Amino acid sequence: LRDNSLGGALPKEYGSFENLRQLNLGHNNLIGKIPKELEHIVTLRALALDSNEFTGPIPDFENMIRLSKFSFDLIGAFQEE
């Protein structure tokens, strides 16, 4: 789904994709907070959220023990909404 001009908030329902191994949403127009529900995807090995307009804190993702690649732009990541 990289570079597809996706817009709006990232749905928390993405956290229900329990068997997902890679999620690349980079280079879109996503906004708002990164949903903490993504940490429910414990099979995820690669997560790319770079080049979007996310705000707020980055979730802990401590349950994602298989995650070895994480791509994210820090610009705006810690701004208050």
Side-chain angles (χ1 to χ4, degrees), residues 1 6 13 24 27 31 38 41 49 54 56 71-74:
L1 299 173
L6 300 176
E13 289 79 15
N24 189 339
H27 295 266
I31 60 170
L38 290 181
I41 313 172
L49 300 173
F54 292 113
S71 176
F72 182 78
D73 293 332
L74 293 178

Side-chain angles (χ1 to χ4, degrees), residues 33-51:
K33 292 182 180 179
I34 299 171
K36 63 181 174 129
E37 287 82 4
L38 290 181
E39 72 180 24
H40 296 143
I41 313 172
V42 295
T43 56
L44 201 61
R45 295 179 183 191
L47 176 61
L49 300 173
D50 55 302
S51 297

Side-chain angles (χ1 to χ4, degrees), residues 19-80:
N19 295 315
L20 195 64
R21 292 191 180 168
Q22 295 184 23
L23 180 58
N24 189 339
L25 296 169
H27 295 266
N28 282 294
N29 299 308
L30 298 170
I31 60 170
K33 292 182 180 179
I34 299 171
K36 63 181 174 129
E37 287 82 4
L38 290 181
E39 72 180 24
H40 296 143
I41 313 172
V42 295
T43 56
L44 201 61
R45 295 179 183 191
L47 176 61
L49 300 173
D50 55 302
S51 297
N52 283 290
E53 298 295 326
F54 292 113
T55 57
I58 299 171
D60 193 356
F61 296 139
E62 65 184 29
N63 294 329
M64 300 171 84
I65 58 174
R66 294 188 175 143
L67 188 65
S68 60
K69 294 181 182 179
F70 180 57
S71 176
F72 182 78
D73 293 332
L74 293 178
I75 298 171
F78 299 103
Q79 294 176 359
E80 295 295 324

